[in-house]
């Protein structure tokens, strides 16, 4: 009997590459597809030579061809940090819309299950706190972040339409801020920025007064949740995130302490439409997946520190 086969779009990215590892471990044959615009070959180089793993360099906004049968598609291709989608606004919109359409078309052709990587950004700058899946959000469609938020909202709508109209088995995960190894050190997000600044003794750049909050999830917890969702029977969106909420200023201080750095904190202008608060309500994930995070922030950050030490060391070579 042949193995189950999964296509992971964005498979060379931060989350995609961790999913490649997990699905190989679960006995799947993995096809990793990525155009390497924000993903990196380094994230998957340890898998080259594994006969259950194939890498295909392809932009999923164009027709996707996969030979033979396919059981599952994990659609993770997209720029995913604010500076990435500021630099690639049109690609971000295209991959969320055209790319999701292509990936759903492939799911239909192969009669495969489809799992969409959606985001807490569908809630925008939320007026309901914490955020539950039945909240429709507060998104500025024409703001700088709108290219990502609206693309993901469209992707959710398209996924539900394929589910309802074509009977495709679909899953939607709304991912909250996640961190861990294989993040790009310069992707501009708070954690890679703060870690690399602290490790280099540079000032930590807190935007605004730092009172805005986020809830950070360690990557292993998220991957476990996605695995469970992929195997579950739940078609409606499910939040995955760690409800442990912290202000960005406190978070910066925590990283200074963790790294033992003597860096200072400096305040910079708050980007437009930056959500003021964010915290997942994970009652649904608890109920339908029997999932909750196992790592608190301190444990997760400790596990992530050595990765960033290595990445910072490379900067100085
Ligand atoms: N942030 C910051 N300094 C930085 C990078 C980010 O203060 O150098 C802030 C950012 O304005 C936001 C929070 O940290 O309020 C989380 O930002 P990130 O880009 O990590 O994720 P997102 O805004 O998408 O949640």
């Amino acid at each position: 009997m042949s193995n189950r086969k999964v296509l992971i779009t964005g498979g060379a990215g931060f989350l995609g590459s961790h999913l490649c590892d997990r699905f190989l471990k679960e006995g799947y044959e993995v096809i990793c597809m990525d155009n390497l615009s924000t993903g990196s070959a380094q994230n998957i180089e340890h898998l080259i030579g594994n006969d259950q793993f194939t890498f295909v360099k392809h932009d999923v906004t164009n027709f996707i061809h996969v030979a033979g049968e396919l059981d599952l598609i994990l659609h993770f291709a997209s720029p995913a940090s604010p500076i990435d989608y500021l630099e690639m606004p049109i690609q971000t919109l295209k991959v969320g819309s055209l790319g999701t359409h292509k990936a759903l078309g492939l799911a239909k052709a192969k009669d495969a299950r489809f799992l969409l990587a959606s985001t807490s950004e569908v809630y925008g700058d939320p007026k309901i706190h914490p955020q539950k899946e039945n909240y429709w959000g507060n998104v500025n469609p024409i703001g700088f972040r709108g290219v990502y938020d609206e693309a993901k909202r469209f992707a959710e709508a398209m996924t539900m339409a394929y589910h309802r109209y074509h009977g495709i088995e679909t899953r939607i995960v709304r991912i909250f801020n996640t961190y861990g190894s294989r993040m790009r050190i310069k992707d501009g997000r708070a954690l890679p920025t703060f870690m690399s600044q602290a490790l280099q003794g540079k000032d930590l750049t807190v935007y605004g007064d730092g009172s805005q909050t986020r809830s950070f999830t360690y990557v292993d917890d998220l991957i476990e949740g996605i695995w469970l969702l992929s195997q579950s029977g739940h078609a409606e969106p499910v939040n995955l995130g760690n409800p442990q909420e912290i202000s960005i200023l406190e978070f910066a201080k925590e990283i200074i302490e963790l790294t033992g750095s003597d860096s200072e904190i400096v305040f910079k202008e708050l980007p437009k439409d930056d959500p003021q608060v964010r915290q997942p309500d994970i009652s649904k994930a608890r109920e339908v997946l029997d999932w909750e995070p196992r790592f608190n922030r301190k444990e997760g950050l400790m596990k992530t520190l050595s990765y960033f030490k290595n990445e910072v060391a490379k900067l100085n070579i």
Side-chain angles (χ1 to χ4, degrees):
M1 212 181 84
S2 62
N3 284 350
R4 284 172 298 171
K5 198 158 145 190
V6 59
L7 170 71
I8 305 180
T9 75
F14 163 45
L15 296 179
S17 64
H18 282 285
L19 287 167
C20 289
D21 290 342
R22 178 62 186 258
F23 277 79
L24 283 167
K25 219 169 114 195
E26 298 290 348
Y28 276 73
E29 182 183 338
V30 172
I31 304 171
C32 164
M33 191 169 274
D34 204 300
N35 69 353
L36 300 180
S37 71
T38 61
S40 115
Q42 189 192 310
N43 288 341
I44 47 164
E45 66 185 358
H46 61 290
L47 299 176
I48 304 298
N50 182 329
D51 65 0
Q52 295 302 301
F53 178 79
T54 314
F55 172 68
V56 181
K57 186 163 187 280
H58 181 68
D59 177 343
V60 297
T61 60
N62 299 312
F63 184 86
I64 307 170
H65 173 73
V66 173
E69 293 183 3
L70 206 51
D71 300 286
L72 178 64
I73 298 171
L74 306 177
H75 184 43
F76 277 68
S78 177
S81 88
I83 59 162
D84 287 342
Y85 35 87
L86 278 178
E87 270 171 29
M88 294 179 273
I90 295 170
Q91 286 103 316
T92 303
L93 279 161
K94 281 175 73 179
V95 74
S97 53
L98 304 179
T100 303
H101 185 220
K102 297 282 180 287
L104 278 163
L106 181 68
K108 179 166 154 260
K110 303 283 184 187
D111 196 18
R113 186 176 284 188
F114 177 89
L115 185 148
L116 173 70
S118 186
T119 168
S120 55
E121 284 280 324
V122 299
Y123 302 121
D125 190 4
K127 301 240 186 270
I128 301 277
H129 192 66
Q131 294 76 54
K132 247 181 166 14
E133 289 86 347
N134 60 8
Y135 176 47
W136 294 349
N138 175 39
V139 169
N140 174 4
I142 57 163
F144 290 108
R145 300 174 83 104
V147 296
Y148 182 67
D149 304 6
E150 295 296 3
K152 289 291 186 183
R153 288 168 69 95
F154 175 91
E156 288 199 5
M158 183 67 105
T159 301
M160 290 310 290
Y162 265 68
H163 173 63
R164 294 188 180 119
Y165 189 74
H166 289 306
I168 304 293
E169 271 206 61
T170 56
R171 309 286 176 263
I172 298 175
V173 53
R174 290 188 181 151
I175 300 170
F176 283 66
N177 297 63
T178 302
Y179 65 91
S181 62
R182 303 186 194 156
M183 291 184 102
R184 271 157 49 232
I185 195 161
K186 289 185 177 158
D187 84 358
R189 287 189 269 195
L191 183 123
T193 310
F194 292 166
M195 278 258 186
S196 57
Q197 288 168 335
L199 290 169
Q200 294 175 93
K202 294 183 177 166
D203 292 342
L204 272 66
T205 50
V206 167
Y207 298 158
D209 62 5
S211 63
Q212 70 274 31
T213 68
R214 295 293 185 273
S215 307
F216 293 95
T217 312
Y218 182 57
V219 64
D220 287 7
D221 280 331
L222 183 83
I223 298 298
E224 174 69 11
I226 293 169
W227 162 254
L228 292 172
L229 181 63
S230 77
Q231 306 301 304
S232 83
H234 197 78
E236 302 282 318
V238 178
N239 286 341
L240 288 181
N242 189 326
Q244 221 190 349
E245 185 183 13
I246 187 172
S247 77
I248 292 300
L249 179 58
E250 285 307 312
F251 188 53
K253 289 182 186 163
E254 221 174 69
I255 289 180
I256 290 176
E257 197 186 310
L258 177 89
T259 51
S261 169
D262 50 16
S263 295
E264 306 275 330
I265 289 173
V266 293
F267 295 90
K268 303 265 182 192
E269 196 186 336
L270 187 68
K272 225 177 151 300
D273 299 329
D274 200 284
Q276 197 48 48
V277 289
R278 181 178 290 159
Q279 185 190 31
D281 179 318
I282 57 166
S283 353
K284 196 197 249 189
R286 283 199 172 101
E287 189 192 315
V288 300
L289 307 177
D290 194 20
W291 174 89
E292 61 179 11
R294 288 176 40 232
F295 297 96
N296 65 33
R297 205 172 43 247
K298 189 156 187 228
E299 292 163 332
L301 288 176
M302 284 300 292
K303 288 169 87 67
T304 307
L305 185 59
S306 56
Y307 165 78
F308 279 101
K309 278 187 177 161
N310 258 320
E311 292 300 294
V312 167
K314 284 188 210 158
L315 293 176
N316 302 325
I317 294 172

